[in-house]
Amino acid sequence: MKDNKKVCLITGASSGIGYSIAKALSADGYQLILSARREEKLNGLKNDFTDVFPGDINSVEYQDKLIEYIYNQYDRCDYLFNCAGTLETGTIDDIDIERMCAMMRVNVESTFRLTYALLKRFKKQGFGHVINISSVLGTKVRPTAGAYSATKFAMEALSEALRLELAGSAVQVSCIEPGLVMTELHKNWAVHPKESMGIHEPLNTGDIVCIVKFIMDQPANVRIPKIMILPRDHKI
Ligand SMILES: NC(=O)c1ccc[n+]([C@@H]2O[C@H](COP(=O)([O-])OP(=O)(O)OC[C@H]3O[C@@H](n4cnc5c(N)ncnc54)[C@H](OP(=O)(O)O)[C@@H]3O)[C@@H](O)[C@H]2O)c1
C-alpha cells in the first residue's frame, strides 16, 4: 500500500454520484481505483493516488482483472462503492424490454458478482466495507418503475442478508437510498422527473458525498445498514 492510504474501488466513477465520491475521497487522501466504461472521463480524475481501470462491469473477465489488479498493487481493499447503475422505465406498452434486461444485468447480476468477489477478499483480510448506492425506490414502487425498483429491492435484500451473515465481524455493508439526484441518469428523458414529480430542488451529488462521509466516519462498533436521503419536495 502506498503511504498507508486506505484503498477504495469505486464503480460508476465516470459520472454522477460515483464521480463525486471519487473527487471527494481523492481530496481526503484515499487511494482510489476507478471503474466505468468511459476511460476519457475516468482519466480526468487520474493522479498519483487515483488509478483508472476502465471496462464493462458486465464482463466477468474485466471484474476478475480488476480485483487481481487491486490486490497485486495494494494487497488490500478497504471500500467497495457500488455506484454503477442504469435506469429504464416505461409503461407495459412502451418499455424497451432489451434495455430493461440490460439494466437488470448491471444493477443486479454484475453488481452482486463484484460484491461477492470482493466480500470473499474482505473476509479473508478481516476488514472491508461495501457501500451500495441503492435508491428510495429500493423501499417503494411507482408505476412504470417496477423493474428499476426491483433491482434496488434486490440490492436491499442482498445487503440485509449480508449484514446478518457478517454481524459481529469487521466487514460491513451499507445502503444509501437517495431520492432524485441531478446526474446523467435521466439525461435521455423527454420530461425530467424534477418536472413530472414537482421537485424544485433535487439533491446534488455533494449531498450524497456528505452521507458517504457520515457512514465512513462512524466508530468501529457502529453499523449503518441503510440511510435514506430525499429532497425537500419529495412527496411520493
Ligand atoms: N440520480 C438519481 O436520481 C439516483 C437516485 C437514486 C439512486 N441512484 C443510483 O445511483 C447510482 C449512480 O447513478 P447516477 O445517478 O450517478 O447516474 P450516472 O451519472 O448515469 O452514472 C452511472 C454510472 O454507471 C456506470 N455504468 C453504467 N453501465 C455500466 C457498465 N455496463 N459498466 C460499467 N459502468 C457502467 C456509468 O459509466 P459508463 O457509462 O462510463 O460506463 C456511470 O459512471 C445508480 O445505481 C442509480 O440507480 C441515482
Side-chain angles (χ1 to χ4, degrees):
M1 183 169 48
K2 294 179 199 165
D3 295 320
N4 271 354
K5 285 170 179 285
K6 288 198 171 169
V7 177
C8 308
L9 168 58
I10 307 175
T11 74
S14 61
S15 71
I17 293 169
Y19 182 89
S20 288
I21 293 172
K23 273 189 96 161
L25 295 189
S26 173
D28 284 353
Y30 289 85
Q31 171 66 53
L32 307 184
I33 300 92
L34 306 184
S35 162
R37 289 165 301 182
R38 286 171 294 172
E39 185 170 2
E40 70 288 358
K41 296 267 185 186
L42 297 181
N43 281 339
L45 291 164
K46 201 170 176 177
N47 63 42
D48 285 351
F49 298 104
T50 298
D51 304 345
V52 310
F53 204 96
D56 188 332
I57 198 174
N58 292 329
S59 158
V60 177
E61 194 190 349
Y62 167 72
Q63 287 203 11
D64 290 346
K65 283 187 176 158
L66 173 62
I67 295 170
E68 202 181 297
Y69 172 80
I70 294 169
Y71 279 85
N72 281 343
Q73 287 290 315
Y74 304 108
D75 202 26
R76 65 186 280 153
C77 183
D78 296 81
Y79 291 95
L80 164 63
F81 291 90
N82 277 320
C83 305
T86 66
L87 167 63
E88 293 297 328
T89 60
T91 64
I92 295 164
D93 293 324
D94 294 339
I95 196 160
D96 182 327
I97 294 174
E98 295 313 319
R99 290 180 66 95
M100 180 189 82
C101 292
M103 167 187 72
M104 314 258 326
R105 180 136 193 246
V106 174
N107 293 12
V108 182
E109 182 185 325
S110 302
T111 297
F112 283 23
R113 179 187 289 279
L114 185 64
T115 299
Y116 271 102
L118 257 301
L119 279 174
K120 284 177 195 290
R121 301 279 191 156
F122 287 1
K123 281 193 75 176
K124 210 165 164 191
Q125 70 190 9
F127 57 85
H129 194 158
V130 178
I131 301 186
N132 288 321
I133 307 301
S134 175
S135 170
V136 62
L137 288 179
T139 70
K140 57 178 77 184
V141 298
R142 272 181 216 138
T144 76
Y148 176 74
S149 275
T151 70
K152 297 302 186 180
F153 270 74
M155 180 179 253
E156 296 275 340
L158 178 71
S159 303
E160 179 58 6
L162 293 172
R163 183 190 71 74
L164 294 167
E165 218 175 301
L166 295 164
S169 83
V171 180
Q172 43 180 318
V173 180
S174 302
C175 277
I176 301 176
E177 299 163 341
L180 183 61
V181 189
M182 290 305 285
T183 68
E184 294 182 11
L185 200 66
H186 309 94
K187 72 175 178 215
N188 295 324
W189 287 37
V191 181
H192 195 278
K194 73 179 181 174
E195 314 299 338
S196 52
M197 292 171 67
I199 296 179
H200 304 293
E201 269 183 90
L203 301 171
N204 59 58
T205 55
D207 299 321
I208 311 305
V209 168
C210 289
I211 300 297
V212 164
K213 290 192 180 187
F214 171 76
I215 292 172
M216 293 172 83
D217 282 349
Q218 294 305 310
N221 65 315
V222 171
R223 294 288 174 272
I224 311 279
K226 54 178 77 179
I227 183 164
M228 188 181 286
I229 169 170
L230 300 176
R232 177 178 47 195
D233 297 331
H234 187 106
K235 293 189 195 86
I236 53 171

